[in-house]
Amino acid sequence: MSVSGEAIQDSGVLSGTGILESRLTRLGREAFARDVWARTAALTRGADDFSDVFSPSAVDELISRRGLRTPFLRVAKDGATLPESSFTAPAGVGATVSDQLDDTALWRAFADGATLVLQALHRTWEPVAELVSRLSAELGHPVQANAYVTPPQNRGFDAHYDVHDVFVLQIQGTKRWVVHEPVLPDPLRDQPWTDHREAVAERAEHGTPHLDTMLRPGDVLYLPRGWLHSARAQGEVSVHLTLGVHTWTRYALAEQLTRAALAALADDPSMRRALPLRTPGPDAASDLEGASRIDGQSHVEGSSDVRDASGPRALDGVMEAVRERLLAAVAEADAAPRFQRAQRSQGRPAPLGPMAQLTALDNLGPASPLRLREALEPRLDGTRLLTRVGYLDFPAADLAAVARLLDGRVRTAADLGLDLAGRLLRAGVLVPAAR
């Protein structure tokens, strides 16, 4: 049995109908990829009831009872973000950190028309975390979640674009959304809208909207990165959830390919050699023009002939040799391992309870039911298991059992062997399963 380089489908990926179809767009993954993904804005009316995912009571719970700190919340009003010091304070005896949320200050800002932005809800609110984990597994791209809570007849931000795709889930109230096509299609993560502020403002003010619509509870709006949007709450408080999809791009793959090539060049002795002395810089041409001529030869004072081995022609030759070697290294590079590591680093595995884990380990027996921890992004490469929580090396005798694990099904400790099961529990790769 060969398991080298075996690609594993994460157990978090849904079988049958996925999140896209069942809760967000009514489109299966193939139809969404073909007709919508990264192509156009799309509105789905009455996609689902999201009260099981988020609610106004969740907003109150998070702000007033969870002891959240910045940057888990931002506050914005009329296009400007308020300073953190205006809504944070020390939490008193036993919790004297200085940047915990001040619920009184937040209430006053909210009553005065400010929008509250609860950030990284995939880390702080379990129903959102579950939805995000399943959507990320289905899309193959990392996903985050924020909530926007806007008082009636107010807006939090000016027209802008995001550098990630978004699904907007309207939870409560109504909000008018105005959407325009991009001024910069498919912006990268380091190409924010502020770099194109004038073009964005011009398009938003004078361009014909692609969509001008009212979102009501249960509606879902998908926006590819780069699409301009602004939103204003209507006659009541608006609460919407934004699922931000941080898309992997061809540029990101090119980055990993280049890094793999440069890593290979670092092992090439010829590429570590020094350049010639007195290598001309950007002003070399002007320096040469001002050089005095002696006996028909161009010289720079205090130097040898500028056309010798340390001159510009020699540098041209070195440049060409380096270019050829770099292109060859790119052609030979295997960027897949680096790209897979980057993918694993952009997400977190499912939560792990230390007490439950210890209990499972202490009570481990042949009949103990176990399963792979979700969202690990596991991959068996030869005798090494790569995951989001690190890697483990196995003897050949264990490889068949490890490979069986990776289908996500519940196994007993006897199926795996007690020693292997115990090792994987300690590593946080396996978790106890319901009987």
Side-chain angles (χ1 to χ4, degrees), residues 157-202:
F157 300 94
D158 292 333
H160 65 283
Y161 66 73
D162 295 317
V163 294
H164 50 265
D165 293 23
V166 297
F167 291 92
V168 178
L169 286 58
Q170 190 67 26
I171 305 296
Q172 174 182 288
T174 57
K175 205 165 194 178
R176 181 189 176 194
W177 284 75
V178 181
V179 177
H180 290 82
E181 294 186 4
V183 298
L184 178 67
D186 300 324
L188 300 173
R189 296 179 189 181
D190 60 354
Q191 295 176 319
W193 75 273
T194 49
D195 290 351
H196 304 273
R197 191 185 297 271
E198 291 184 5
V200 168
E202 174 69 19

mmCIF file of all heavy atoms in Angstrom, residues 157-202:
data_model
loop_
_atom_site.group_PDB
_atom_site.id
_atom_site.type_symbol
_atom_site.label_atom_id
_atom_site.label_comp_id
_atom_site.label_asym_id
_atom_site.label_seq_id
_atom_site.Cartn_x
_atom_site.Cartn_y
_atom_site.Cartn_z
ATOM 1 N N PHE A 157 -19.253 53.297 7.183
ATOM 2 C CA PHE A 157 -18.089 53.501 6.331
ATOM 3 C C PHE A 157 -18.507 54.101 4.988
ATOM 4 O O PHE A 157 -19.609 53.857 4.478
ATOM 5 C CB PHE A 157 -17.380 52.157 6.088
ATOM 6 C CG PHE A 157 -16.899 51.507 7.345
ATOM 7 C CD1 PHE A 157 -17.694 50.563 8.007
ATOM 8 C CD2 PHE A 157 -15.670 51.829 7.894
ATOM 9 C CE1 PHE A 157 -17.262 49.949 9.170
ATOM 10 C CE2 PHE A 157 -15.232 51.232 9.062
ATOM 11 C CZ PHE A 157 -16.031 50.295 9.703
ATOM 12 N N ASP A 158 -17.603 54.898 4.415
ATOM 13 C CA ASP A 158 -17.799 55.424 3.063
ATOM 14 C C ASP A 158 -17.718 54.294 2.047
ATOM 15 O O ASP A 158 -17.305 53.171 2.366
ATOM 16 C CB ASP A 158 -16.723 56.472 2.752
ATOM 17 C CG ASP A 158 -16.873 57.730 3.584
ATOM 18 O OD1 ASP A 158 -18.001 58.037 4.009
ATOM 19 O OD2 ASP A 158 -15.845 58.399 3.821
ATOM 20 N N ALA A 159 -18.082 54.595 0.801
ATOM 21 C CA ALA A 159 -17.921 53.621 -0.276
ATOM 22 C C ALA A 159 -16.454 53.185 -0.344
ATOM 23 O O ALA A 159 -15.535 54.004 -0.283
ATOM 24 C CB ALA A 159 -18.357 54.233 -1.601
ATOM 25 N N HIS A 160 -16.249 51.896 -0.472
ATOM 26 C CA HIS A 160 -14.897 51.333 -0.479
ATOM 27 C C HIS A 160 -14.960 49.950 -1.105
ATOM 28 O O HIS A 160 -16.042 49.445 -1.426
ATOM 29 C CB HIS A 160 -14.348 51.240 0.946
ATOM 30 C CG HIS A 160 -15.098 50.279 1.820
ATOM 31 N ND1 HIS A 160 -16.318 50.578 2.372
ATOM 32 C CD2 HIS A 160 -14.817 49.005 2.218
ATOM 33 C CE1 HIS A 160 -16.757 49.548 3.079
ATOM 34 N NE2 HIS A 160 -15.863 48.571 2.993
ATOM 35 N N TYR A 161 -13.804 49.331 -1.272
ATOM 36 C CA TYR A 161 -13.790 47.921 -1.647
ATOM 37 C C TYR A 161 -12.954 47.151 -0.638
ATOM 38 O O TYR A 161 -12.132 47.713 0.087
ATOM 39 C CB TYR A 161 -13.283 47.708 -3.080
ATOM 40 C CG TYR A 161 -11.826 48.048 -3.351
ATOM 41 C CD1 TYR A 161 -10.782 47.239 -2.878
ATOM 42 C CD2 TYR A 161 -11.483 49.165 -4.113
ATOM 43 C CE1 TYR A 161 -9.453 47.541 -3.143
ATOM 44 C CE2 TYR A 161 -10.148 49.477 -4.390
ATOM 45 C CZ TYR A 161 -9.139 48.658 -3.898
ATOM 46 O OH TYR A 161 -7.824 48.951 -4.160
ATOM 47 N N ASP A 162 -13.185 45.856 -0.581
ATOM 48 C CA ASP A 162 -12.401 44.967 0.271
ATOM 49 C C ASP A 162 -11.423 44.179 -0.585
ATOM 50 O O ASP A 162 -11.657 43.975 -1.782
ATOM 51 C CB ASP A 162 -13.322 43.993 1.021
ATOM 52 C CG ASP A 162 -14.235 44.703 2.004
ATOM 53 O OD1 ASP A 162 -13.745 45.599 2.716
ATOM 54 O OD2 ASP A 162 -15.433 44.376 2.047
ATOM 55 N N VAL A 163 -10.354 43.709 0.031
ATOM 56 C CA VAL A 163 -9.366 42.903 -0.686
ATOM 57 C C VAL A 163 -9.624 41.411 -0.467
ATOM 58 O O VAL A 163 -8.756 40.580 -0.705
ATOM 59 C CB VAL A 163 -7.922 43.282 -0.282
ATOM 60 C CG1 VAL A 163 -7.606 44.692 -0.730
ATOM 61 C CG2 VAL A 163 -7.715 43.122 1.226
ATOM 62 N N HIS A 164 -10.824 41.096 0.010
ATOM 63 C CA HIS A 164 -11.273 39.711 0.117
ATOM 64 C C HIS A 164 -12.730 39.657 -0.341
ATOM 65 O O HIS A 164 -13.447 40.662 -0.310
ATOM 66 C CB HIS A 164 -11.133 39.189 1.550
ATOM 67 C CG HIS A 164 -11.740 40.097 2.582
ATOM 68 N ND1 HIS A 164 -11.005 41.035 3.275
ATOM 69 C CD2 HIS A 164 -13.015 40.239 3.026
ATOM 70 C CE1 HIS A 164 -11.788 41.702 4.094
ATOM 71 N NE2 HIS A 164 -13.024 41.241 3.959
ATOM 72 N N ASP A 165 -13.177 38.499 -0.795
ATOM 73 C CA ASP A 165 -14.577 38.312 -1.142
ATOM 74 C C ASP A 165 -15.408 38.322 0.140
ATOM 75 O O ASP A 165 -14.912 37.987 1.220
ATOM 76 C CB ASP A 165 -14.788 36.979 -1.854
ATOM 77 C CG ASP A 165 -14.134 36.922 -3.225
ATOM 78 O OD1 ASP A 165 -13.186 37.683 -3.471
ATOM 79 O OD2 ASP A 165 -14.574 36.106 -4.053
ATOM 80 N N VAL A 166 -16.700 38.681 0.020
ATOM 81 C CA VAL A 166 -17.557 38.689 1.205
ATOM 82 C C VAL A 166 -18.924 38.095 0.883
ATOM 83 O O VAL A 166 -19.444 38.243 -0.225
ATOM 84 C CB VAL A 166 -17.744 40.105 1.799
ATOM 85 C CG1 VAL A 166 -16.427 40.675 2.286
ATOM 86 C CG2 VAL A 166 -18.397 41.047 0.814
ATOM 87 N N PHE A 167 -19.463 37.414 1.876
ATOM 88 C CA PHE A 167 -20.880 37.065 1.914
ATOM 89 C C PHE A 167 -21.500 37.901 3.025
ATOM 90 O O PHE A 167 -21.065 37.808 4.181
ATOM 91 C CB PHE A 167 -21.085 35.586 2.218
ATOM 92 C CG PHE A 167 -20.656 34.643 1.129
ATOM 93 C CD1 PHE A 167 -19.372 34.125 1.118
ATOM 94 C CD2 PHE A 167 -21.536 34.277 0.118
ATOM 95 C CE1 PHE A 167 -18.969 33.244 0.126
ATOM 96 C CE2 PHE A 167 -21.142 33.398 -0.879
ATOM 97 C CZ PHE A 167 -19.861 32.883 -0.889
ATOM 98 N N VAL A 168 -22.494 38.712 2.693
ATOM 99 C CA VAL A 168 -23.192 39.543 3.673
ATOM 100 C C VAL A 168 -24.490 38.840 4.043
ATOM 101 O O VAL A 168 -25.348 38.610 3.183
ATOM 102 C CB VAL A 168 -23.487 40.943 3.110
ATOM 103 C CG1 VAL A 168 -24.253 41.778 4.128
ATOM 104 C CG2 VAL A 168 -22.198 41.635 2.691
ATOM 105 N N LEU A 169 -24.658 38.502 5.329
ATOM 106 C CA LEU A 169 -25.850 37.818 5.817
ATOM 107 C C LEU A 169 -26.634 38.800 6.672
ATOM 108 O O LEU A 169 -26.169 39.193 7.759
ATOM 109 C CB LEU A 169 -25.474 36.597 6.661
ATOM 110 C CG LEU A 169 -24.948 35.333 5.981
ATOM 111 C CD1 LEU A 169 -23.686 35.589 5.147
ATOM 112 C CD2 LEU A 169 -24.666 34.250 7.022
ATOM 113 N N GLN A 170 -27.804 39.222 6.221
ATOM 114 C CA GLN A 170 -28.603 40.170 6.997
ATOM 115 C C GLN A 170 -29.307 39.428 8.129
ATOM 116 O O GLN A 170 -30.052 38.475 7.901
ATOM 117 C CB GLN A 170 -29.622 40.875 6.100
ATOM 118 C CG GLN A 170 -30.337 42.042 6.768
ATOM 119 C CD GLN A 170 -29.409 43.217 7.072
ATOM 120 O OE1 GLN A 170 -28.391 43.405 6.406
ATOM 121 N NE2 GLN A 170 -29.755 44.012 8.077
ATOM 122 N N ILE A 171 -29.053 39.873 9.368
ATOM 123 C CA ILE A 171 -29.571 39.198 10.553
ATOM 124 C C ILE A 171 -30.828 39.883 11.073
ATOM 125 O O ILE A 171 -31.832 39.232 11.365
ATOM 126 C CB ILE A 171 -28.503 39.165 11.666
ATOM 127 C CG1 ILE A 171 -27.203 38.514 11.160
ATOM 128 C CG2 ILE A 171 -29.031 38.466 12.909
ATOM 129 C CD1 ILE A 171 -27.328 37.066 10.787
ATOM 130 N N GLN A 172 -30.767 41.192 11.210
ATOM 131 C CA GLN A 172 -31.910 41.959 11.741
ATOM 132 C C GLN A 172 -31.971 43.306 11.049
ATOM 133 O O GLN A 172 -30.943 43.886 10.679
ATOM 134 C CB GLN A 172 -31.777 42.175 13.252
ATOM 135 C CG GLN A 172 -32.864 43.101 13.830
ATOM 136 C CD GLN A 172 -32.724 43.351 15.302
ATOM 137 O OE1 GLN A 172 -32.985 42.451 16.097
ATOM 138 N NE2 GLN A 172 -32.311 44.557 15.686
ATOM 139 N N GLY A 173 -33.193 43.846 10.912
ATOM 140 C CA GLY A 173 -33.372 45.160 10.325
ATOM 141 C C GLY A 173 -33.164 45.138 8.820
ATOM 142 O O GLY A 173 -32.994 44.085 8.198
ATOM 143 N N THR A 174 -33.182 46.322 8.236
ATOM 144 C CA THR A 174 -32.965 46.456 6.794
ATOM 145 C C THR A 174 -31.828 47.430 6.549
ATOM 146 O O THR A 174 -31.601 48.362 7.318
ATOM 147 C CB THR A 174 -34.233 46.955 6.078
ATOM 148 O OG1 THR A 174 -34.631 48.203 6.656
ATOM 149 C CG2 THR A 174 -35.361 45.953 6.203
ATOM 150 N N LYS A 175 -31.133 47.209 5.440
ATOM 151 C CA LYS A 175 -29.993 48.057 5.110
ATOM 152 C C LYS A 175 -29.933 48.225 3.602
ATOM 153 O O LYS A 175 -30.027 47.234 2.855
ATOM 154 C CB LYS A 175 -28.696 47.425 5.627
ATOM 155 C CG LYS A 175 -27.571 48.419 5.897
ATOM 156 C CD LYS A 175 -26.471 47.783 6.744
ATOM 157 C CE LYS A 175 -25.522 48.854 7.300
ATOM 158 N NZ LYS A 175 -24.480 48.270 8.159
ATOM 159 N N ARG A 176 -29.799 49.459 3.165
ATOM 160 C CA ARG A 176 -29.687 49.736 1.740
ATOM 161 C C ARG A 176 -28.228 49.611 1.315
ATOM 162 O O ARG A 176 -27.343 50.245 1.886
ATOM 163 C CB ARG A 176 -30.194 51.138 1.424
ATOM 164 C CG ARG A 176 -30.117 51.482 -0.062
ATOM 165 C CD ARG A 176 -30.406 52.933 -0.313
ATOM 166 N NE ARG A 176 -30.231 53.282 -1.727
ATOM 167 C CZ ARG A 176 -30.153 54.529 -2.185
ATOM 168 N NH1 ARG A 176 -30.229 55.554 -1.346
ATOM 169 N NH2 ARG A 176 -29.987 54.751 -3.470
ATOM 170 N N TRP A 177 -27.995 48.769 0.298
ATOM 171 C CA TRP A 177 -26.664 48.545 -0.236
ATOM 172 C C TRP A 177 -26.577 49.093 -1.654
ATOM 173 O O TRP A 177 -27.436 48.797 -2.494
ATOM 174 C CB TRP A 177 -26.323 47.052 -0.258
ATOM 175 C CG TRP A 177 -25.988 46.521 1.104
ATOM 176 C CD1 TRP A 177 -26.856 46.257 2.117
ATOM 177 C CD2 TRP A 177 -24.686 46.203 1.588
ATOM 178 N NE1 TRP A 177 -26.173 45.795 3.216
ATOM 179 C CE2 TRP A 177 -24.836 45.742 2.913
ATOM 180 C CE3 TRP A 177 -23.413 46.245 1.034
ATOM 181 C CZ2 TRP A 177 -23.758 45.336 3.695
ATOM 182 C CZ3 TRP A 177 -22.335 45.841 1.811
ATOM 183 C CH2 TRP A 177 -22.512 45.404 3.125
ATOM 184 N N VAL A 178 -25.546 49.878 -1.902
ATOM 185 C CA VAL A 178 -25.257 50.376 -3.247
ATOM 186 C C VAL A 178 -23.916 49.792 -3.669
ATOM 187 O O VAL A 178 -22.905 49.982 -2.988
ATOM 188 C CB VAL A 178 -25.218 51.917 -3.289
ATOM 189 C CG1 VAL A 178 -24.927 52.397 -4.708
ATOM 190 C CG2 VAL A 178 -26.539 52.500 -2.785
ATOM 191 N N VAL A 179 -23.921 49.063 -4.786
ATOM 192 C CA VAL A 179 -22.749 48.308 -5.233
ATOM 193 C C VAL A 179 -22.354 48.756 -6.626
ATOM 194 O O VAL A 179 -23.204 48.868 -7.521
ATOM 195 C CB VAL A 179 -23.055 46.789 -5.236
ATOM 196 C CG1 VAL A 179 -21.866 46.003 -5.777
ATOM 197 C CG2 VAL A 179 -23.433 46.318 -3.835
ATOM 198 N N HIS A 180 -21.063 49.042 -6.827
ATOM 199 C CA HIS A 180 -20.526 49.418 -8.133
ATOM 200 C C HIS A 180 -19.442 48.423 -8.550
ATOM 201 O O HIS A 180 -18.796 47.801 -7.697
ATOM 202 C CB HIS A 180 -19.905 50.824 -8.102
ATOM 203 C CG HIS A 180 -20.908 51.930 -7.947
ATOM 204 N ND1 HIS A 180 -21.414 52.284 -6.719
ATOM 205 C CD2 HIS A 180 -21.481 52.748 -8.862
ATOM 206 C CE1 HIS A 180 -22.262 53.289 -6.874
ATOM 207 N NE2 HIS A 180 -22.319 53.590 -8.166
ATOM 208 N N GLU A 181 -19.223 48.318 -9.836
ATOM 209 C CA GLU A 181 -18.166 47.457 -10.347
ATOM 210 C C GLU A 181 -16.794 48.029 -9.980
ATOM 211 O O GLU A 181 -16.667 49.210 -9.649
ATOM 212 C CB GLU A 181 -18.314 47.293 -11.860
ATOM 213 C CG GLU A 181 -19.578 46.538 -12.238
ATOM 214 C CD GLU A 181 -19.667 46.235 -13.727
ATOM 215 O OE1 GLU A 181 -18.697 46.547 -14.453
ATOM 216 O OE2 GLU A 181 -20.697 45.697 -14.152
ATOM 217 N N PRO A 182 -15.752 47.213 -10.030
ATOM 218 C CA PRO A 182 -14.436 47.620 -9.504
ATOM 219 C C PRO A 182 -13.773 48.735 -10.311
ATOM 220 O O PRO A 182 -13.986 48.871 -11.513
ATOM 221 C CB PRO A 182 -13.604 46.332 -9.601
ATOM 222 C CG PRO A 182 -14.593 45.224 -9.720
ATOM 223 C CD PRO A 182 -15.770 45.797 -10.440
ATOM 224 N N VAL A 183 -12.951 49.497 -9.614
ATOM 225 C CA VAL A 183 -11.989 50.382 -10.282
ATOM 226 C C VAL A 183 -10.646 49.660 -10.427
ATOM 227 O O VAL A 183 -9.840 50.005 -11.278
ATOM 228 C CB VAL A 183 -11.799 51.712 -9.510
ATOM 229 C CG1 VAL A 183 -13.095 52.490 -9.450
ATOM 230 C CG2 VAL A 183 -11.257 51.464 -8.103
ATOM 231 N N LEU A 184 -10.422 48.658 -9.598
ATOM 232 C CA LEU A 184 -9.242 47.796 -9.683
ATOM 233 C C LEU A 184 -9.714 46.355 -9.510
ATOM 234 O O LEU A 184 -9.961 45.906 -8.394
ATOM 235 C CB LEU A 184 -8.219 48.141 -8.588
ATOM 236 C CG LEU A 184 -6.964 47.259 -8.547
ATOM 237 C CD1 LEU A 184 -6.111 47.491 -9.792
ATOM 238 C CD2 LEU A 184 -6.158 47.513 -7.277
ATOM 239 N N PRO A 185 -9.883 45.621 -10.601
ATOM 240 C CA PRO A 185 -10.373 44.243 -10.481
ATOM 241 C C PRO A 185 -9.390 43.372 -9.693
ATOM 242 O O PRO A 185 -8.175 43.498 -9.818
ATOM 243 C CB PRO A 185 -10.475 43.774 -11.940
ATOM 244 C CG PRO A 185 -10.535 45.037 -12.756
ATOM 245 C CD PRO A 185 -9.709 46.038 -12.010
ATOM 246 N N ASP A 186 -9.934 42.513 -8.864
ATOM 247 C CA ASP A 186 -9.155 41.499 -8.139
ATOM 248 C C ASP A 186 -7.951 42.077 -7.393
ATOM 249 O O ASP A 186 -6.809 41.633 -7.575
ATOM 250 C CB ASP A 186 -8.662 40.418 -9.113
ATOM 251 C CG ASP A 186 -9.803 39.715 -9.821
ATOM 252 O OD1 ASP A 186 -10.851 39.513 -9.196
ATOM 253 O OD2 ASP A 186 -9.644 39.370 -11.003
ATOM 254 N N PRO A 187 -8.149 43.059 -6.524
ATOM 255 C CA PRO A 187 -7.002 43.627 -5.803
ATOM 256 C C PRO A 187 -6.358 42.595 -4.880
ATOM 257 O O PRO A 187 -7.033 41.733 -4.305
ATOM 258 C CB PRO A 187 -7.629 44.765 -4.994
ATOM 259 C CG PRO A 187 -9.052 44.349 -4.806
ATOM 260 C CD PRO A 187 -9.421 43.636 -6.071
ATOM 261 N N LEU A 188 -5.042 42.698 -4.755
ATOM 262 C CA LEU A 188 -4.311 41.845 -3.826
ATOM 263 C C LEU A 188 -4.419 42.418 -2.418
ATOM 264 O O LEU A 188 -4.900 43.534 -2.206
ATOM 265 C CB LEU A 188 -2.849 41.740 -4.254
ATOM 266 C CG LEU A 188 -2.618 41.140 -5.655
ATOM 267 C CD1 LEU A 188 -1.141 41.239 -6.029
ATOM 268 C CD2 LEU A 188 -3.097 39.694 -5.704
ATOM 269 N N ARG A 189 -3.912 41.666 -1.452
ATOM 270 C CA ARG A 189 -4.085 42.074 -0.057
ATOM 271 C C ARG A 189 -3.335 43.354 0.284
ATOM 272 O O ARG A 189 -3.682 44.042 1.248
ATOM 273 C CB ARG A 189 -3.644 40.930 0.864
ATOM 274 C CG ARG A 189 -4.514 39.695 0.700
ATOM 275 C CD ARG A 189 -4.091 38.547 1.587
ATOM 276 N NE ARG A 189 -4.808 37.326 1.237
ATOM 277 C CZ ARG A 189 -4.667 36.167 1.849
ATOM 278 N NH1 ARG A 189 -3.819 36.068 2.858
ATOM 279 N NH2 ARG A 189 -5.352 35.110 1.457
ATOM 280 N N ASP A 190 -2.296 43.680 -0.486
ATOM 281 C CA ASP A 190 -1.555 44.915 -0.231
ATOM 282 C C ASP A 190 -1.933 46.016 -1.222
ATOM 283 O O ASP A 190 -1.146 46.925 -1.487
ATOM 284 C CB ASP A 190 -0.048 44.658 -0.269
ATOM 285 C CG ASP A 190 0.429 44.123 -1.605
ATOM 286 O OD1 ASP A 190 -0.423 43.841 -2.473
ATOM 287 O OD2 ASP A 190 1.656 43.976 -1.789
ATOM 288 N N GLN A 191 -3.158 45.937 -1.766
ATOM 289 C CA GLN A 191 -3.667 46.959 -2.685
ATOM 290 C C GLN A 191 -5.016 47.491 -2.178
ATOM 291 O O GLN A 191 -6.052 47.310 -2.814
ATOM 292 C CB GLN A 191 -3.810 46.375 -4.095
ATOM 293 C CG GLN A 191 -2.486 45.969 -4.723
ATOM 294 C CD GLN A 191 -2.658 45.296 -6.078
ATOM 295 O OE1 GLN A 191 -3.550 44.475 -6.283
ATOM 296 N NE2 GLN A 191 -1.783 45.638 -7.018
ATOM 297 N N PRO A 192 -5.029 48.153 -1.025
ATOM 298 C CA PRO A 192 -6.291 48.596 -0.416
ATOM 299 C C PRO A 192 -6.953 49.715 -1.208
ATOM 300 O O PRO A 192 -6.327 50.374 -2.041
ATOM 301 C CB PRO A 192 -5.840 49.090 0.965
ATOM 302 C CG PRO A 192 -4.427 49.543 0.757
ATOM 303 C CD PRO A 192 -3.848 48.564 -0.234
ATOM 304 N N TRP A 193 -8.212 49.936 -0.898
ATOM 305 C CA TRP A 193 -8.985 50.948 -1.626
ATOM 306 C C TRP A 193 -8.432 52.355 -1.415
ATOM 307 O O TRP A 193 -8.588 53.228 -2.285
ATOM 308 C CB TRP A 193 -10.452 50.887 -1.203
ATOM 309 C CG TRP A 193 -10.756 51.462 0.151
ATOM 310 C CD1 TRP A 193 -10.705 50.824 1.348
ATOM 311 C CD2 TRP A 193 -11.159 52.805 0.441
ATOM 312 N NE1 TRP A 193 -11.042 51.678 2.373
ATOM 313 C CE2 TRP A 193 -11.329 52.902 1.842
ATOM 314 C CE3 TRP A 193 -11.393 53.941 -0.333
ATOM 315 C CZ2 TRP A 193 -11.739 54.065 2.471
ATOM 316 C CZ3 TRP A 193 -11.791 55.119 0.294
ATOM 317 C CH2 TRP A 193 -11.957 55.178 1.678
ATOM 318 N N THR A 194 -7.747 52.567 -0.291
ATOM 319 C CA THR A 194 -7.202 53.895 -0.031
ATOM 320 C C THR A 194 -6.127 54.279 -1.046
ATOM 321 O O THR A 194 -5.822 55.463 -1.210
ATOM 322 C CB THR A 194 -6.624 53.961 1.391
ATOM 323 O OG1 THR A 194 -5.767 52.830 1.614
ATOM 324 C CG2 THR A 194 -7.746 53.939 2.424
ATOM 325 N N ASP A 195 -5.533 53.293 -1.732
ATOM 326 C CA ASP A 195 -4.569 53.594 -2.792
ATOM 327 C C ASP A 195 -5.258 54.147 -4.031
ATOM 328 O O ASP A 195 -4.591 54.665 -4.933
ATOM 329 C CB ASP A 195 -3.790 52.334 -3.190
ATOM 330 C CG ASP A 195 -2.818 51.870 -2.120
ATOM 331 O OD1 ASP A 195 -2.620 52.623 -1.135
ATOM 332 O OD2 ASP A 195 -2.265 50.765 -2.245
ATOM 333 N N HIS A 196 -6.586 54.020 -4.097
ATOM 334 C CA HIS A 196 -7.366 54.477 -5.255
ATOM 335 C C HIS A 196 -8.555 55.311 -4.775
ATOM 336 O O HIS A 196 -9.637 55.256 -5.347
ATOM 337 C CB HIS A 196 -7.847 53.275 -6.072
ATOM 338 C CG HIS A 196 -6.745 52.376 -6.531
ATOM 339 N ND1 HIS A 196 -6.055 52.572 -7.707
ATOM 340 C CD2 HIS A 196 -6.179 51.281 -5.937
ATOM 341 C CE1 HIS A 196 -5.135 51.628 -7.834
ATOM 342 N NE2 HIS A 196 -5.183 50.850 -6.771
ATOM 343 N N ARG A 197 -8.317 56.088 -3.744
ATOM 344 C CA ARG A 197 -9.398 56.813 -3.084
ATOM 345 C C ARG A 197 -10.190 57.696 -4.053
ATOM 346 O O ARG A 197 -11.427 57.716 -4.035
ATOM 347 C CB ARG A 197 -8.820 57.662 -1.946
ATOM 348 C CG ARG A 197 -9.872 58.245 -1.023
ATOM 349 C CD ARG A 197 -9.226 59.168 -0.001
ATOM 350 N NE ARG A 197 -8.296 58.451 0.863
ATOM 351 C CZ ARG A 197 -8.649 57.859 1.999
ATOM 352 N NH1 ARG A 197 -9.910 57.893 2.385
ATOM 353 N NH2 ARG A 197 -7.744 57.255 2.736
ATOM 354 N N GLU A 198 -9.492 58.433 -4.906
ATOM 355 C CA GLU A 198 -10.191 59.357 -5.813
ATOM 356 C C GLU A 198 -11.039 58.591 -6.827
ATOM 357 O O GLU A 198 -12.187 58.971 -7.106
ATOM 358 C CB GLU A 198 -9.182 60.260 -6.529
ATOM 359 C CG GLU A 198 -8.502 61.264 -5.612
ATOM 360 C CD GLU A 198 -7.578 62.198 -6.381
ATOM 361 O OE1 GLU A 198 -7.543 62.110 -7.628
ATOM 362 O OE2 GLU A 198 -6.904 63.001 -5.727
ATOM 363 N N ALA A 199 -10.488 57.523 -7.387
ATOM 364 C CA ALA A 199 -11.243 56.740 -8.372
ATOM 365 C C ALA A 199 -12.451 56.083 -7.725
ATOM 366 O O ALA A 199 -13.534 55.999 -8.339
ATOM 367 C CB ALA A 199 -10.342 55.692 -9.007
ATOM 368 N N VAL A 200 -12.295 55.609 -6.494
ATOM 369 C CA VAL A 200 -13.405 54.997 -5.772
ATOM 370 C C VAL A 200 -14.506 56.021 -5.535
ATOM 371 O O VAL A 200 -15.693 55.753 -5.780
ATOM 372 C CB VAL A 200 -12.917 54.391 -4.449
ATOM 373 C CG1 VAL A 200 -14.097 54.019 -3.543
ATOM 374 C CG2 VAL A 200 -12.052 53.159 -4.705
ATOM 375 N N ALA A 201 -14.128 57.217 -5.059
ATOM 376 C CA ALA A 201 -15.120 58.257 -4.801
ATOM 377 C C ALA A 201 -15.830 58.669 -6.088
ATOM 378 O O ALA A 201 -17.055 58.879 -6.098
ATOM 379 C CB ALA A 201 -14.450 59.464 -4.139
ATOM 380 N N GLU A 202 -15.086 58.794 -7.176
ATOM 381 C CA GLU A 202 -15.674 59.186 -8.456
ATOM 382 C C GLU A 202 -16.678 58.140 -8.946
ATOM 383 O O GLU A 202 -17.791 58.472 -9.374
ATOM 384 C CB GLU A 202 -14.561 59.366 -9.491
ATOM 385 C CG GLU A 202 -15.036 59.629 -10.913
ATOM 386 C CD GLU A 202 -15.688 60.982 -11.077
ATOM 387 O OE1 GLU A 202 -15.476 61.871 -10.227
ATOM 388 O OE2 GLU A 202 -16.430 61.163 -12.075
#
